[in-house]
Amino acid sequence: MADIVREIERKYAATDETRLPDLTGVDRVAAVVARGVEHLDAVYYDTADQRLAGAGITLRRRTGGRDAGWHLKLPVAPEEGAGTEPGRTRDEVRAPLSDTPPPELTALVRARVLGRELVPVVRLRTRRTVRVLQDAAGAPLAEVAVDAVRAQRAAPAPAKRGGGPAQARWCEIEVELAGAGEGGAALLDAVGRALAAAGIRPAGAASKLARALAETETETAGGSGDADRAPGGGKAGRAAGGPGRDGAAGTAGDIVLRYVREQVRVIVELDPAVRRELPDSVHRMRVATRRLRSAFRSYAKVLDRTVTDPLGVELRWLAGELGVARDREVLAARLRAGLAELPRPLRLGPVAARLRGWSRRSHRGARREVLATLDGARYLALLEALDALVDDPPLLKAAARPAPETLARAVRKDYRRLAGRVTAALAAPAGPVRDQALHSARKAAKRTRYAAEAAVPALGRPAETFVRRTKRVQQVLGDHQDSVVARAALRELAVQAHRAGEAGFTFGLLYGREEARAADRERELPDVWRQVSPAGLRARSGA
């Protein structure tokens, strides 16, 4: 089983003559303890076109030091509260030494490499001098490492003129927090100020690998291959321009492709998070999948449907597979919250225990299904197809038209579709027929909202307002649908309790409360719906 370590660090440029200042007294630092010298030997793996490096991901096999083994570093987020110096927060996933990349690590980059072979690209040998910053109690706060690095290309092809493998040498300083505790960013800021006072400046490269790749290229090479790649795998430069927030010049293709590329990026970036079961990752990946599918359908005048329709089918499949886990998660949380709201005298029998057992079984089953989906050939084929689409988008003639007019027309079309479904739902007879009609309206509300979200850069504030009000309709309809699903689950639990000879009173009570909640949402819907209007979009587009 792989170990995971949160890495929060900053890097600084250095030379052989660089001397660290005395850091005692900086922030909470009471002592600086030398820990000696380590000799590290690391081989970094990537695809031939450096897909991992282009995404800020590193995979290495390292010997020497205290943590010899395989290390996969995945970007997390910028440091909150950090100063102006560049910092990096990454999760380092570790596995024991082996001759080839471990499957538990390669699975986490599968969405990036897309079946391409992982090969050695760079070897780094580092002489590391480590000092530990300790607080008054002797607890470690951070490590300061002065690294003398030698980099060498692992493959013989990128040789400099004159023959021989490309090589580079440099020195740098790493300051890494000993933990992710409170005050870490402030400590890094304080250490950074002390280093700046000594003439030590932030490093220009984000990582050793990035610098090694840049400095060991052939003299005639045009680049490492990663700079032109978008996070999802496609070319970043193509149709990357576009208007600003309030509708500056740009084409419909500019705006739609920007939105499409962003959703593909999110799907790919969340793949390892879903595999690691990080909070909310399944939900966010599912939303990105739905947004992408909605964009294909709403902007069919911009992107060729002969290409996007088959992708839409596969995206619908993926959203459904992810939904198994997400829907069970949401449902279990809703039932637990409902039970917690009941006074204790109304909780008859082992209701909480039965609910916990049902939730655990549902979670385990859903988890297995999600992992099987991400490891399957169908999912990989979808990612390959999305990669090809963003690399060579199937633009139609309308893509070259001004964005405001084209995008506003598409949003208004989705609005009319939504209006028809809301009207039909409000007129439907109470019961299963109305429940189904409201669920259909909810799906139309999502599509309309996502279409307007994509159009915000072209349509500005009117689109933002429209998104906000449509989202409110979606929330009302979503809560109603959640109540429908919850009632079905409560009936199932009540039947199980009855068969086991347990009281079903509490489940019946929860069922009744869910019925009342759904009725409240139905009464609320007309007022919320009246707030939604595309009039501002029509005026802005000039239509």
Side-chain angles (χ1 to χ4, degrees):
M1 187 67 181
D3 296 324
I4 301 174
V5 177
R6 177 61 56 88
E7 175 190 84
I8 304 175
E9 66 178 17
R10 294 184 189 173
K11 291 181 178 290
Y12 299 85
T15 67
D16 292 338
E17 289 75 33
T18 300
R19 296 292 179 266
L20 285 175
D22 182 7
L23 298 175
T24 305
V26 173
D27 196 25
R28 294 163 286 149
V29 178
V32 179
V33 179
R35 207 184 60 204
V37 176
E38 299 174 346
H39 294 275
L40 311 174
D41 192 342
V43 176
Y44 287 76
Y45 284 68
D46 206 336
T47 59
D49 56 352
Q50 296 173 17
R51 286 174 165 256
L52 299 187
I57 297 171
T58 61
L59 174 63
R60 73 187 178 200
R61 182 187 189 274
R62 189 166 80 179
T63 57
R66 295 162 295 129
D67 59 351
W70 285 92
H71 304 154
L72 174 66
K73 296 191 178 186
L74 300 167
V76 177
E79 304 157 26
E80 292 186 8
T84 58
E85 300 176 39
R88 289 173 67 107
T89 302
R90 298 187 292 180
D91 276 349
E92 183 175 285
V93 188
R94 299 175 177 176
L97 282 173
S98 60
D99 293 335
T100 57
E104 60 266 39
L105 299 190
T106 57
L108 296 176
V109 296
R110 187 169 183 257
R112 291 287 181 187
V113 304
L114 297 178
R116 291 159 178 80
E117 184 182 6
L118 289 167
V119 296
V121 291
V122 169
R123 181 182 183 186
L124 298 184
R125 283 170 283 188
T126 304
R127 184 182 187 274
R128 169 167 288 181
T129 304
V130 182
R131 295 170 177 83
V132 181
L133 309 185
Q134 297 180 342
D135 64 15
L141 297 171
E143 288 187 0
V144 181
V146 180
D147 291 340
V149 185
R150 289 181 294 159
Q152 181 178 16
R153 283 277 178 160
K160 288 181 179 287
R161 286 178 193 159
Q167 299 182 10
R169 293 173 179 263
W170 70 88
C171 290
E172 67 180 37
I173 297 169
E174 282 188 7
V175 182
E176 181 177 345
L177 292 180
E182 185 177 350
L187 173 62
L188 291 178
D189 283 343
V191 171
R193 288 191 293 270
L195 294 178
I200 300 172
R201 297 292 180 260
S207 68
K208 286 184 176 65
L209 177 62
R211 182 164 183 174
L213 291 173
E215 295 194 10
T216 62
E217 285 184 323
T218 59
E219 291 182 356
T220 57
S224 64
D226 59 82
D228 292 334
R229 296 202 68 83
K235 297 291 182 182
R238 192 179 305 175
R245 181 172 178 271
D246 290 315
T251 67
D254 289 332
I255 302 303
V256 173
L257 285 179
R258 179 188 299 178
Y259 189 78
V260 165
R261 285 194 170 102
E262 174 62 13
Q263 306 319 314
V264 173
R265 181 193 68 79
V266 171
I267 292 170
V268 173
E269 287 191 354
L270 284 173
D271 178 286
V274 171
R275 293 176 185 273
R276 294 168 55 201
E277 208 170 0
L278 297 185
D280 209 35
S281 57
V282 171
H283 171 61
R284 291 166 56 206
M285 188 176 187
R286 187 188 188 192
V287 169
T289 302
R290 285 176 162 172
R291 281 183 166 131
L292 185 56
R293 179 170 176 255
S294 290
F296 290 160
R297 298 169 72 189
S298 296
Y299 296 109
K301 299 291 186 181
V302 176
L303 295 173
D304 189 350
R305 289 190 60 175
T306 63
V307 176
T308 61
D309 278 359
L311 288 175
V313 171
E314 295 305 285
L315 289 167
R316 181 179 183 181
W317 160 77
L318 178 58
E321 295 297 311
L322 295 171
V324 173
R326 174 61 182 174
D327 291 346
R328 293 291 179 87
E329 178 184 324
V330 171
L331 177 57
R334 186 181 183 101
L335 297 183
R336 286 193 300 269
L339 182 61
E341 291 172 359
L342 291 180
R344 288 193 176 275
L346 299 181
R347 304 179 204 170
L348 304 183
V351 179
R354 178 165 292 281
L355 182 56
R356 280 194 303 270
W358 174 85
S359 178
R360 281 195 298 267
R361 289 190 299 274
S362 298
H363 175 77
R364 284 195 298 267
R367 174 71 178 158
R368 285 193 298 269
E369 291 177 24
V370 167
L371 291 178
T373 296
L374 299 187
D375 288 333
R378 186 174 181 179
Y379 172 66
L380 184 61
L382 172 58
L383 293 181
E384 289 271 18
L386 293 176
D387 189 63
L389 178 134
V390 298
D391 192 49
D392 187 17
L395 297 175
L396 299 174
K397 288 184 179 180
R401 295 172 184 161
E405 176 184 351
T406 303
L407 272 57
R409 184 180 296 115
V411 175
R412 293 198 302 271
K413 181 178 179 181
D414 280 348
Y415 167 80
R416 290 192 295 271
R417 178 171 171 270
L418 169 61
R421 293 196 181 185
V422 171
T423 300
L426 292 175
V433 173
R434 182 183 295 174
D435 291 344
Q436 184 57 44
L438 290 170
H439 183 44
S440 179
R442 177 197 183 192
K443 290 187 286 187
K446 284 184 181 180
R447 174 170 163 177
T448 305
R449 170 193 162 194
Y450 295 155
E453 282 180 350
V456 165
L459 303 179
R461 296 188 186 280
E464 290 178 344
T465 301
F466 184 80
V467 168
R468 186 171 59 254
R469 292 176 178 175
T470 306
K471 182 179 179 180
R472 180 56 186 151
V473 172
Q474 178 189 330
Q475 289 171 334
V476 170
L477 293 170
D479 193 40
H480 183 278
Q481 176 61 19
D482 288 348
S483 174
V484 173
V485 175
R487 278 177 274 160
L490 287 167
R491 187 181 186 283
E492 175 189 338
L493 287 165
V495 169
Q496 293 175 3
H498 176 74
R499 289 173 178 170
E502 301 165 4
F505 169 82
T506 302
F507 291 119
L509 182 58
L510 291 172
Y511 188 102
R513 288 164 69 96
E514 286 290 353
E515 267 190 329
R517 190 169 178 175
D520 287 343
R521 298 292 83 79
E522 291 179 22
R523 285 190 292 270
E524 184 182 1
L525 177 60
D527 288 338
V528 174
W529 170 242
R530 275 192 288 269
Q531 302 299 314
V532 181
S533 170
L537 304 183
R538 179 179 291 108
R540 188 175 186 83
S541 71

